[in-house]
Amino acid sequence: MSETQRPADRPGRLGVGVIGAGRVGAVLGSALRAAGHAVVGVSAVSEASVERASVLLPGVPVLEVPDVVERAELVLVAIPDDALPGLVSGLTETGAWQPGQLIVHTSGRFGWKVLEPAVSRGAIPLALHPAMTFTGTSLDLSRLVDCCFGVTAPGPVLPIAQALVVEMGAEPVVIDEKMRGLYHAALAHGSNHLVTLVAQALDLLRAAGVEDASRLLAPLLSASLDNSLRGGDNALTGPVARGDAGTLADHLRAIRATGERGEGTLETYRAMARATADRALASGRLQVASAEALLAALNTEPPEQ
């Protein structure tokens, strides 16, 4: 192949249909288009999704779902997890799927077997889940370069799934079909719960009178995240690692004093401190006596202030 050959001139280019112009579908459709595939249709229902499709997939016709499937050699299904089995079954009952058609879903929860109804009609199933949060804007396209995809597919077609991920600029990580639930739980726990944790910390700083709470917190959290990804439990610092039961008790009193604003945070703090103490004890970073003192402080209701 000539070095000057354009992506669209390369062999193996596919006609891609996108079902769901949400934050993920529109972005991945755009990434596949940039790799030289032709996006032949997109389904979009809400006003926001229609607008997203017009920005990220300009010139691509907005069609009904059956029409998207009919036109496409590769169908990219990017819809909520709970809606996926019903959509696949419904399209199977209408005879929409075509033999040899590639069906790619982006759900983290499911592997390829959720597509079995379509497989019975000769379709080829691929599960490609981007381990990234999406804004639904062109900013996401640059983030794909540092992104990994959880890839699950039958053995003979696994290389196709991996190649599609590489074409989008990302890195494929193979996940066993039986481990998709655990894989997705890990990502949700680390990413989604992190958002809640950070938001609660910001609330407490604002309650403490810090105007630019994010500016104060950002360097600390960035360093903590980097250290924990590199060292795991060895990155632990703070009162739990030191066994400072008095400090924990003081924290509980301070959070309690914020009133209704801190009610949810109080329980989150307790739960995370208990889990942290358990891990510190198991790893030998915390002595039994210190762990017992910490747990006693966490189990004691702080007095009203």
Side-chain angles (χ1 to χ4, degrees), residues 130-132 139-149 168-171:
M132 186 179 84
L139 175 65
D140 297 330
L141 293 170
S142 61
R143 290 177 173 173
L144 285 177
V145 177
D146 292 324
C147 176
C148 291
F149 277 60
M168 288 186 281
E171 179 181 345

Side-chain angles (χ1 to χ4, degrees), residues 14 43 56 83 89 91-92 99 104 130 136 144 151 155 167 172 175 179 182 186 207 236 240 247 257 263 265 269 278:
L14 300 167
S43 71
L56 290 171
S89 297
L91 288 171
T92 302
V104 176
L144 285 177
V151 174
E167 283 190 331
I175 307 296
M179 294 298 169
L182 188 59
L236 182 63
V240 171
T247 299
E263 284 182 359
T265 303
Y269 187 99
D278 287 343

